[in-house]
Amino acid sequence: MTRIDELRILVPVDVSGTEPPPLDVLDHLGAVEVVLLGYFPVPDQAEPALLRDQYGSKATDRLDAVADEHGDPAEVLVFTHDREATIDRIADEYDCDAVLTAGRSTVVERVLVPLRGDVNLNRILAVVADLLLAGNETATLFHSVPEDTDPTQGELLLMGAVDRLVEYGVGRDRVDWQLSKGGDPQTDIVELGAEYDLVVLGETDPSLRERIIGNVLSAIVDALDVPALIVRDVE
Amino acid sequence: MSVEGNELERTLGFVEAMTLGGGTMIGAGIFILPGIAAETAGPASSISYAIAGFVALLAALSLSELATGMPIAGGSYHYVNRALGGLFGAIVGWGMWTGLMFASAFYMIGFGQYLVEPIPFLDGRVFIVGLGLVGLVLLLGVNYYGTEESSAFQNVTIGVETAIILVFVAVGVFFIDPGNLEPFAPFGPGGVVATTGIVFISFLGFEIIATVAGEIKNPGRIIPLSMILSVVLVTILYVLVMLVSTGVIPFESLGDSPIPVSDVAVTYLGPAGVVAIVFAAIIAAISSSNSSILAASRVIYAMGRDGVVTDWFNVSHPQFYTPHRAIAATGGVTALLILVGLEVETIIALLAEAASFSFLVAYSLVHISLVVFRRADPDGYDPSFTLPRPLYPAVPILGVVLSLVVVSQMATVVVVIGSGIVAFGVVWYATYTRGRVVSEGLLSEAIRGKPAEPFRVVVPVANPATQRGLLRLAAASAHANEDRGTPELVAVNVTPVAHPSPFQNVEADRFEHQRELLKSAHDIAAEMNVTLRTRTVVAPDVGEAILDVLEEEVADEAILGWDGTLGRDGHVFGATVDPVVRNASCDVSLVNLKNETIGTPVALIAPGHNAPVIAHQAVEFATVDGTVPTLLNVQPPRGKSGSDAEERGRSVVVDAAEAAGLDPGEYEVQVVVNDDIGRAIVEATSQYDTVCVGLSGRTEGSRIPFGTVTERVVHDVPSNVALIRGS
């Protein structure tokens, strides 16, 4: 179990809109390295090169403006038919540990960390530890168990996770946990998330069902109006 | 930090490319055409599909090589335009655009037929045309507003379509009545070939893989693989569908049906089968028509980019970012074509054949373009997939011949329409394109069989005092290499600024200085009768900027001025020169001009791969004043007799000169035998006006190897010194 030494996050920004996304959260994350990905969504009908020719300089300016406001991080600009694929590729290329989505928060004091299970748990906790050690937020670990199951399993998971963070050097008073019984995890996370400044989620491989009807994770991210940090599952 | 260009995305893998190609192909063609095909070729129409598939396969092979060589939007149009010039570009561009509109109209009428025919009381052509128009308008609306990549939805559609066809074939095989397949070819080979022209439209779509080549991962493998495989699989599928159709129902009655596949299905799959087939036919029509509209907008984009049509079509919608004008224009003409269906009964066959005609013409020109590209071998064309022998030249030759055979068997009216479109392309080129774009194509180079590339020497200029001398050397070098290309000089002046930005004001006197410098460069070039281009660059780092220019210009040689100082501020030659010497991929000469005259050059030749470059450079410099250079080698007096050393030295020089391709009359040989090599060199070279010395070999890492001999020459010889580093 190793810590991630230098937390590097990818921040995708839609550069086709005139309104810059709310990224104040970036200035409150402490010492993380940021890669700013400006993407310009290209509809199926248009050739990416067509939009690049027409909007290339405007997109560059917008991306530069966002970068200027947030400490001049590395920038990448892409004209793409497929936003998700682009984010994946750039995150791979730049070796990013997590992807940050924009949200309305202006400070980061309370972080919500929903945990699904053992999948990707190590990396999620490593990223959370890095975040907490770099700043002075508090975190709430969250897990949801179905109605009829024994809740001890969930409690064990959460307490184990807290211990893990403490091992990393996070003060125990900065971490608490919450177990929900019988609710729909997706709704719970969205509702609870509204009370926090940042939600840290773990990426999982989409199931076949998700591939066809849409990803649960992106549904949660879309419903949240606070920023979300999606920890990539690279193993 | 840096912005990494405006990247375009490579997101398509093998599966995506296959579904894209296969999905675009498997479409309305197979649901609508079997009736017409059976009518004109009988059961042998399956052979027509096989031939059409083979013609498509040949095109796919040629396109694969071209697409991996030029992964840029536009497909066939783009390759032909580059290879054969604007005239053929216009013909193919317009041909493809109209062909796609014919195809789109064809699909939408087929769509109407499948919707209307099963409902007895809604019969009639008005309804068919009306439904086709409604379908088209919906499609145009969707495309006007723009859609996001929805590969999941596409995959489901294509999967369902293919599954239904597979069930149709798999079950149908058991219901084939061999009696129906007799006689197999009632209309003879002529009928089979004529039918090929009609059904060729069913294969449109594999080309989409070439048009999105720029978005495909690992293109050298995936493009040819997915193109070939999708064409082969689809051909097999079509042949089976045709065999089953003509085997289950006598071809005469199949020929009467506008919805043949559904009529076949009803005999053994019952009403449920009919519903499934109708469903598949409708989504096939929609998806095929949709792909045609998308492909059309890509062709128009490419034509606008090259100036073949106005760029007005390519302005994207300010809100939806779609090329809305191109889509509207395509839709408008397609709607008119559908409306023609009200008057012309055989509209379906006509549209199919007209579309096939356009694409057969386009593909035969694509085959020719491949040959042209191979022969001319232009810069930047470096396909990661090449047709192996004997596929090349068999594929392009066979491709052209077969396309022409199929075209020659088409109905007269189609040939007239098709030729009309070709003629329109010619007239369009003559009246609009010509004079607007200079795209001559590679045809003349292909005929000559040798690229007319320039031999380009790049000279960074900054100092008015030395630029004349540098340009003279550069011009001499370029002229001396006339056998390698037309001499061309590029003079670059770099203005260093801390943060380059187009809005930043560089001080006015700097610009004045730059203007003077480049103007006088032009004057010097005119005196020396050499083509000169000037470039001005504003950049934070002069060395990096020069490297960029060398790369962009694909320079053959670079000649840099240098003041002769060594080891300043931790650099070998200086902050600007070091990175160029270290990283340039062409020959580099670093010249310290101490005197006006170049006079007789001497080159220091020592064994090594750099020696021929140095020898050649000395010969080049000698042409400035019309002298004969000396190639010098210094040997230590090993052994007893001096003549051995003399021999050794001479053979070193002659070897280098031969490697450089020099004739014995082009140089003098001087061998000095001395214990103190360094001193001997300084003494010998001081007799000459200009000394050419090598920098030892290719530099590795950050170090520039710099021999002690070279150092002594730089310090102690009063002549001009040129340090030469081979590429």
Side-chain angles (χ1 to χ4, degrees):
Chain A
M1 230 179 47
T2 48
R3 276 194 38 206
I4 299 169
D5 273 343
E6 278 169 16
L7 186 57
R8 189 181 296 171
I9 61 173
L10 184 73
V11 183
V13 174
D14 184 340
V15 285
S16 68
T18 42
E19 197 65 19
L23 282 173
D24 297 322
V25 61
L26 267 187
D27 308 329
H28 300 277
L29 284 185
V32 294
E33 199 178 327
V34 171
V35 176
L36 199 57
L37 165 64
Y39 65 91
F40 198 111
V42 179
D44 257 2
Q45 285 70 19
E47 196 58 47
L50 164 66
L51 294 189
R52 180 193 57 189
D53 296 348
Q54 211 176 327
Y55 296 102
S57 59
K58 210 179 271 181
T60 310
D61 291 348
R62 284 178 190 157
L63 190 59
D64 285 346
V66 175
D68 281 350
E69 253 177 65
H70 300 287
D72 204 16
E75 297 168 30
V76 187
L77 178 62
V78 178
F79 286 78
T80 179
H81 278 312
D82 188 341
R83 169 179 171 274
E84 302 289 330
T86 302
I87 292 176
D88 278 350
R89 180 178 68 88
I90 301 294
D92 262 347
E93 221 165 81
Y94 284 79
D95 218 3
C96 295
D97 308 297
V99 177
L100 182 78
T101 62
R104 58 155 173 77
S105 303
T106 48
V107 289
V108 182
E109 281 163 4
R110 308 186 59 202
V111 181
L112 178 68
V113 187
L115 299 174
R116 274 215 242 186
D118 283 332
V119 184
N120 205 8
L121 186 63
N122 286 343
R123 291 189 60 82
I124 299 174
L125 292 177
V127 167
V128 171
D130 264 24
L131 270 183
L132 295 186
L133 291 173
N136 39 30
E137 324 63 348
T138 60
T140 303
L141 308 182
F142 172 83
H143 184 65
S144 173
V145 289
E147 188 89 61
D148 319 319
T149 45
D150 180 12
T152 41
Q153 199 77 11
E155 281 172 20
L156 275 176
L157 172 80
L158 288 168
M159 291 194 297
V162 172
D163 288 344
R164 201 86 71 78
L165 288 179
V166 172
E167 273 171 42
Y168 277 131
V170 179
R172 194 172 277 276
D173 54 328
R174 290 171 63 193
V175 193
D176 60 358
W177 55 269
Q178 189 177 339
L179 186 69
S180 141
K181 270 167 258 171
D184 170 39
Q186 196 173 332
T187 342
D188 285 350
I189 293 170
V190 172
E191 270 175 22
L192 201 56
E195 300 164 22
Y196 287 79
D197 306 313
L198 176 70
V199 179
V200 180
L201 292 156
E203 180 191 63
T204 47
D205 273 335
S207 62
L208 184 64
R209 189 178 135 269
E210 286 188 328
R211 275 182 204 280
I212 295 167
I213 63 160
N215 200 324
V216 172
L217 183 64
S218 49
I220 296 177
V221 171
D222 288 346
L224 283 172
D225 62 348
V226 295
L229 189 64
I230 299 130
V231 179
R232 303 185 64 229
D233 186 9
V234 283
E235 261 103 69
Chain B
M1 282 179 76
S2 70
V3 171
E4 294 208 346
N6 300 329
E7 278 184 75
L8 307 177
E9 190 64 279
R10 285 192 187 276
T11 53
L12 305 174
F14 174 68
V15 179
E16 285 87 353
M18 277 295 283
T19 41
L20 196 61
T24 316
M25 260 188 286
I26 302 178
I30 196 57
F31 292 103
I32 301 162
L33 287 177
I36 297 166
E39 202 171 19
T40 52
S45 44
S46 53
I47 306 287
S48 305
Y49 272 101
I51 298 174
F54 185 64
V55 174
L57 180 64
L58 295 175
L61 285 166
S62 284
L63 280 171
S64 293
E65 176 169 333
L66 290 166
T68 57
M70 288 167 287
I72 172 172
S76 299
Y77 153 75
H78 177 70
Y79 313 137
V80 172
N81 191 51
R82 268 211 60 195
L84 307 176
L87 172 61
F88 290 96
I91 291 174
V92 170
W94 280 106
M96 281 175 75
W97 188 6
T98 48
L100 288 165
M101 292 190 285
F102 281 123
S104 194
F106 161 78
Y107 299 137
M108 284 339 277
I109 291 183
F111 165 81
Q113 281 181 357
Y114 262 88
L115 268 182
V116 166
E117 291 290 334
I119 309 167
F121 53 88
L122 264 187
D123 209 351
R125 231 175 320 139
V126 178
F127 277 104
I128 292 175
V129 168
L131 275 172
L133 280 179
V134 169
L136 179 71
V137 168
L138 288 177
L139 269 183
L140 288 177
V142 168
N143 282 310
Y144 191 96
Y145 286 105
T147 50
E148 257 186 62
E149 185 90 3
S150 51
S151 47
F153 176 73
Q154 270 168 359
N155 291 351
V156 170
T157 331
I158 292 158
V160 169
E161 240 174 76
T162 315
I164 292 173
I165 298 178
L166 284 176
V167 170
F168 171 85
V169 169
V171 180
V173 167
F174 299 103
F175 290 85
I176 291 178
D177 175 0
N180 285 337
L181 297 177
E182 288 290 334
F184 191 63
F187 307 103
V192 172
V193 177
T195 308
T196 304
I198 302 176
V199 302
F200 187 71
I201 190 179
S202 314
F203 293 89
L204 293 193
F206 65 87
E207 195 192 344
I208 188 121
I209 299 174
T211 50
V212 299
E215 295 166 48
I216 291 179
K217 299 175 202 161
N218 190 5
R221 221 178 83 80
I222 290 185
I223 290 177
L225 198 62
S226 55
M227 283 240 242
I228 294 164
L229 212 55
S230 60
V231 171
V232 169
L233 290 180
V234 167
T235 308
I236 293 172
L237 199 62
Y238 286 177
V239 169
L240 289 175
V241 168
M242 207 58 229
L243 277 177
V244 167
S245 299
T246 48
V248 172
I249 292 186
F251 72 89
E252 294 91 343
S253 44
L254 192 66
D256 294 334
S257 169
I259 48 167
V261 181
S262 147
D263 284 357
V264 174
V266 75
T267 62
Y268 60 88
L269 292 172
V274 172
V275 170
I277 292 289
V278 168
F279 175 70
I282 288 169
I283 52 174
I286 292 174
S287 74
S288 296
S289 184
N290 192 44
S291 318
S292 300
I293 295 170
L294 292 187
S297 76
R298 282 179 194 265
V299 171
I300 298 170
Y301 162 69
M303 286 167 80
R305 175 192 61 204
D306 301 343
V308 172
V309 297
T310 159
D311 229 3
W312 183 83
F313 283 120
N314 282 331
V315 175
S316 66
H317 194 282
Q319 200 181 336
F320 312 126
Y321 301 121
T322 52
H324 58 299
R325 289 170 184 165
I327 288 167
T330 309
V333 180
T334 309
L336 290 179
L337 289 172
I338 295 175
L339 281 173
V340 175
L342 287 175
E343 291 301 317
V344 184
E345 201 180 343
T346 55
I347 186 72
I348 275 276
L350 206 61
L351 288 172
E353 244 184 306
S356 300
F357 183 97
S358 290
F359 276 89
L360 285 168
V361 170
Y363 291 146
S364 30
L365 289 170
V366 164
H367 287 301
I368 296 172
S369 301
L370 176 64
V371 177
V372 167
F373 266 101
R374 282 274 185 114
R375 300 256 314 152
D377 193 20
D379 280 347
Y381 173 73
D382 195 11
S384 45
F385 165 80
T386 48
L387 288 176
R389 286 192 175 276
L391 282 184
Y392 181 91
V395 164
I397 293 173
L398 207 57
V400 173
V401 171
L402 277 182
S403 300
L404 292 180
V405 169
V406 174
V407 164
S408 69
Q409 296 301 307
M410 285 184 157
T412 320
V413 57
V414 173
V415 175
V416 169
I417 293 174
S419 310
I421 293 169
V422 170
F424 178 77
V426 174
V427 172
W428 180 267
Y429 172 77
T431 54
Y432 180 88
T433 315
R434 211 168 49 147
R436 239 170 261 258
V437 279
V438 194
S439 85
E440 289 190 346
L442 304 162
L443 200 53
S444 53
E445 285 168 36
I447 290 166
R448 260 185 278 128
K450 196 178 151 197
E453 284 167 38
F455 184 89
R456 207 169 273 153
V457 183
V458 172
V459 189
V461 291
N463 181 354
T466 56
Q467 74 157 336
R468 164 172 292 270
L470 289 176
L471 285 169
R472 266 166 64 197
L473 287 177
S477 289
H479 276 302
N481 281 295
E482 250 163 359
D483 54 325
R484 286 171 62 190
T486 329
E488 188 181 301
L489 301 192
V490 180
V492 198
N493 179 265
V494 184
T495 307
V497 292
H499 292 288
S501 132
F503 310 110
Q504 188 162 349
N505 291 318
V506 179
E507 304 94 287
D509 61 327
R510 272 218 162 124
F511 271 133
E512 192 57 30
H513 169 71
Q514 193 171 49
R515 218 174 51 84
E516 286 288 314
L517 206 60
L518 295 178
K519 189 179 166 298
S520 86
H522 272 293
D523 296 343
I524 297 166
E527 270 171 45
M528 277 175 298
N529 191 23
V530 62
T531 322
L532 175 92
R533 276 186 301 118
T534 53
R535 291 189 53 161
T536 57
V537 181
V538 177
D541 184 303
V542 181
E544 292 296 326
I546 291 173
L547 278 172
D548 286 345
V549 170
L550 290 177
E551 183 110 336
E552 279 164 33
E553 298 283 353
V554 202
D556 296 284
E557 210 174 302
I559 295 187
L560 280 75
W562 161 60
D563 62 4
T565 12
L566 284 173
R568 180 176 35 198
D569 306 334
H571 297 284
V572 182
F573 304 108
T576 299
V577 176
D578 277 13
V580 179
V581 172
R582 205 178 294 135
N583 299 324
S585 51
C586 59
D587 294 351
V588 179
S589 301
L590 204 56
V591 187
N592 176 20
L593 286 175
K594 297 174 186 167
N595 314 307
E596 265 291 298
T597 39
I598 301 300
T600 309
V602 61
L604 268 182
I605 303 294
H609 73 100
N610 216 7
V613 182
I614 301 164
H616 203 274
Q617 199 70 57
V619 173
E620 291 169 20
F621 288 163
T623 59
V624 173
D625 290 326
T627 55
V628 176
T630 300
L631 306 186
L632 175 78
N633 181 266
V634 179
Q635 289 284 334
R638 222 173 296 142
K640 283 185 184 116
S641 77
S643 70
D644 279 354
E646 183 102 26
E647 270 318 299
R648 272 203 311 274
R650 183 168 288 276
S651 78
V652 168
V653 170
V654 172
D655 286 351
E658 269 175 12
L662 299 176
D663 292 330
E666 284 184 278
Y667 58 92
E668 304 281 349
V669 184
Q670 185 184 356
V671 179
V672 174
V673 182
N674 198 313
D675 266 329
D676 186 344
I677 294 191
R679 218 181 75 213
I681 286 178
V682 170
E683 272 170 15
T685 53
S686 296
Q687 312 301 314
Y688 296 88
D689 306 296
T690 302
V691 188
C692 299
V693 199
L695 279 171
S696 25
R698 192 112 178 90
T699 58
E700 275 155 32
S702 57
R703 280 187 56 248
I704 297 172
F706 194 78
T708 46
V709 170
T710 314
E711 199 166 342
R712 282 191 71 169
V713 170
V714 169
H715 280 304
D716 301 342
V717 176
S719 329
N720 299 320
V721 175
L723 302 179
I724 290 146
R725 200 219 69 193
S727 54

